[in-house]
Amino acid sequence: MTAFSFACTGVRADQYAAGPTLVFRLRVTAADNARVHALALRCQIRIEPARRGYEPAETDGLADLFGERSRWGSTLQPVQFAQVSVMVPSFTGEIETDLVVPCTYDMDIAATRYLTALSDGEVPLLMLFSGTAFTGTGGFQVEPVPWDREAAFRMPVTAWREMVEQHFPGCGWIRLPRDTMDALLAYRSRHALPSWEATVAALLEEGADPPAHDPLRALTATTGRTDP
């Protein structure tokens, strides 16, 4: 059976993609300069958060995912990033190909929340490979790609930020159910607010705690009464 090894040599944001997309450069090597007619490859990409350090500001942003820093020894577990397939064309011995990974900026997704919390540095990734190889010099045979094939890669945080800025410049993105959007739209219309930003700002202001120096508002919040 042909022995395959894999390495990731780089990553870039696809500036021509319709949605946020990262393109990883993948090197595939077949031992003994073997002839490979095609390779149907599956790749699972995981974030390995325990393989890097974190600044205090990053720690605050990761609290929702991993809890208090004192617990990170047990909570800093791998996070699923993507699962994609690629068809590698014919080669002999070694080839480099693109691994296209569509991404989301949905803050309900753990990987997005993790990446958004990082201010700089690198993202430790682990790529796990499997699939089917079509090999042979004088004939044609089908071989599995073993499940233990993997490659580590440290993706610059700047690559993620560049991708996000291409599609959401200066913005974030939140997915909301239809009934919540309808309620927000009704609130915006009732208050004649000019934008969604103004709508959210008004809701945040309404939900803010009363100032400590305002005894009347504090009393109202406690008793529900406004009269002396």
Side-chain angles (χ1 to χ4, degrees):
M1 191 168 66
T2 306
F4 290 96
S5 60
F6 302 89
C8 184
T9 61
V11 64
R12 59 180 172 84
D14 188 348
Q15 59 181 323
Y16 302 110
T21 303
L22 290 172
V23 181
F24 293 86
R25 192 63 177 170
L26 190 64
R27 179 185 298 140
V28 184
T29 303
D32 301 323
N33 208 38
R35 170 68 171 163
V36 179
H37 300 291
L39 186 60
L41 199 61
R42 294 184 296 274
C43 179
Q44 181 182 149
I45 306 177
R46 295 178 183 172
I47 298 171
E48 303 258 289
R51 295 181 177 269
R52 61 158 284 169
Y54 299 94
E55 299 294 330
E58 296 173 328
T59 301
D60 295 340
L62 294 172
D64 286 346
L65 283 178
F66 305 120
E68 296 296 326
R69 186 154 192 163
S70 59
R71 300 175 52 213
W72 282 13
S74 58
T75 63
L76 221 58
Q77 299 299 317
V79 175
Q80 179 77 4
F81 179 60
Q83 188 160 338
V84 294
S85 299
V86 61
M87 182 62 73
V88 181
S90 174
F91 68 97
T92 299
E94 187 174 278
I95 190 174
E96 287 198 3
T97 189
D98 286 340
L99 183 67
V100 179
V101 179
C103 301
T104 175
Y105 198 36
D106 185 350
M107 292 300 288
D108 285 336
I109 306 300
T112 303
R113 292 165 67 190
Y114 174 84
L115 291 163
T116 302
L118 302 184
S119 57
D120 205 354
E122 298 173 326
V123 183
L125 300 178
L126 183 64
M127 298 180 167
L128 307 171
F129 298 97
S130 62
T132 305
F134 304 90
T135 63
T137 51
F140 188 85
Q141 60 189 42
V142 180
E143 305 177 13
V145 176
W147 282 89
D148 63 352
R149 303 294 89 183
E150 62 183 43
F153 179 65
R154 301 188 73 85
M155 178 180 73
V157 173
T158 52
W160 167 264
R161 294 196 177 280
E162 178 184 344
M163 178 199 71
V164 170
E165 282 300 309
Q166 287 177 2
H167 296 274
F168 304 102
C171 301
W173 187 89
I174 299 176
R175 179 182 57 183
L176 296 173
R178 176 70 65 184
D179 55 348
T180 303
M181 283 299 303
D182 291 343
L184 280 172
L185 181 59
Y187 179 90
R188 177 178 174 178
S189 298
R190 274 197 316 273
H191 294 81
L193 296 166
S195 66
W196 288 115
E197 181 181 359
T199 302
V200 174
L203 286 168
L204 289 173
E205 185 176 351
E206 282 187 9
D209 293 332
H213 64 272
D214 189 342
L216 179 59
R217 289 191 62 183
L219 179 63
T220 301
T222 303
T223 66
R225 299 181 58 185
T226 59
D227 54 315

